[in-house]
Amino acid sequence: AQSVTQPDIHITVSEGASLELRCNYSYGATPYLFWYVQSPGQGLQLLLKYFSGDTLVQGIKGFEAEFKRSQSSFNLRKPSVHWSDAAEYFCATSSNDYKLSFGAGTTVTVRA
Amino acid sequence: DAGVIQSPRHEVTEMGQEVTLRCKPISGHNSLFWYRQTMMRGLELLIYFNNNVPIDDSGMPEDRFSAKMPNASFSTLKIQPSEPRDSAVYFCASSVGSQQFFGPGTRLTVL
């Protein structure tokens, strides 16, 4: 069964600094990969997804992620963080049957 | 589009009571999912419907939990009887294809 690991439980970053959130997946074939963001008290919003093709994926809110098969990784990046990016971020994977398996999440705190 | 609609947003009940959570998926979406989110276990898929038919309910914790989807625009998740360990945020999501759209969730507290 597919699974994802998010090694970082909590990251603190200064406003304007770059952000990188790590995600490692475990799956035999090429999985579908997703990044979701959850603001406090809100549901999950899709930031970006990777199915195939170009391994650098652009998403909403200035986020991007890079699929690296050799490292089984799908790390999320943003060049310059805004205070509104403070939230919890979830990496997820699914096989063709659309069942999402979520990582434990990474909480991002943005300091002024 | 209004997105996925869930009600109620918050529910506080006493142990032993029946709880019903409701979900209206996005129109045209043929798949519906119920998830539970807790600090201890993170996000867990409870049940997955496709074209109103339950396809996978392996995540349903036990017989106290049941879910129905009587038509394409409505689904319920029922807990009877409820227990304190059921306290969590319950999310409904719908999709057409592989992209799931999540509702705002129902925060359930069982005292």
Side-chain angles (χ1 to χ4, degrees):
Chain A
Q2 67 271 28
S3 65
V4 293
T5 302
Q6 294 180 247
D8 304 306
I9 297 174
H10 190 195
I11 287 180
T12 298
V13 61
S14 297
E15 191 169 16
S18 64
L19 173 69
E20 182 167 12
L21 304 182
R22 295 184 291 166
C23 173
N24 294 100
Y25 68 90
S26 171
Y27 189 60
T30 299
Y32 295 170
L33 292 162
F34 306 81
W35 275 100
Y36 283 85
V37 60
Q38 184 180 27
S39 298
Q42 302 297 314
L44 281 76
Q45 181 182 22
L46 181 68
L47 288 174
L48 47 80
K49 60 187 176 185
Y50 173 78
F51 292 166
S52 64
D54 192 346
T55 57
L56 185 62
V57 181
Q58 301 296 321
I60 62 172
K61 304 186 179 187
F63 284 93
E64 66 178 25
E66 187 171 11
F67 172 67
K68 292 185 177 180
R69 183 189 300 277
S70 62
Q71 299 177 19
S72 297
S73 69
F74 188 57
N75 294 350
L76 181 72
R77 299 193 294 256
K78 185 168 184 176
S80 177
V81 169
H82 187 261
W83 64 267
S84 60
D85 293 323
E88 190 161 16
Y89 292 80
F90 293 92
C91 183
T93 183
S94 75
S95 58
N96 288 338
D97 61 3
Y98 312 130
K99 289 176 62 176
L100 283 173
S101 294
F102 287 91
T106 299
T107 300
V108 173
T109 298
V110 181
R111 60 182 174 221
Chain B
D1 197 323
V4 176
I5 298 173
Q6 290 188 248
S7 64
R9 292 295 307 277
H10 301 272
E11 177 80 30
V12 179
T13 190
E14 292 187 344
M15 182 173 62
Q17 296 298 305
E18 177 180 296
V19 175
T20 299
L21 311 181
R22 296 172 176 80
C23 175
K24 177 178 170 54
I26 294 172
S27 177
H29 285 193
N30 61 353
S31 294
L32 184 138
F33 306 80
W34 282 101
Y35 291 89
R36 179 172 66 176
Q37 185 180 38
T38 62
M39 290 292 291
M40 292 296 294
R41 300 173 68 90
L43 273 157
E44 305 172 279
L45 176 66
L46 299 178
I47 188 167
Y48 157 50
F49 291 87
N50 186 255
N51 293 324
N52 312 338
V53 176
I55 303 300
D56 183 352
D57 65 354
S58 60
M60 296 286 265
E62 49 199 90
D63 292 345
R64 296 185 298 107
F65 285 68
S66 62
K68 295 182 179 179
M69 192 164 186
N71 57 62
S73 59
F74 184 66
S75 177
T76 59
L77 178 68
K78 184 178 294 186
I79 309 173
Q80 166 64 19
S82 59
E83 296 182 3
R85 60 192 169 119
D86 301 330
S87 298
V89 180
Y90 291 81
F91 289 102
C92 176
S94 70
S95 74
V96 54
S98 295
Q99 182 173 340
Q100 295 183 25
F101 294 81
F102 284 75
T106 296
R107 181 173 295 277
L108 173 65
T109 303
V110 183
L111 302 174

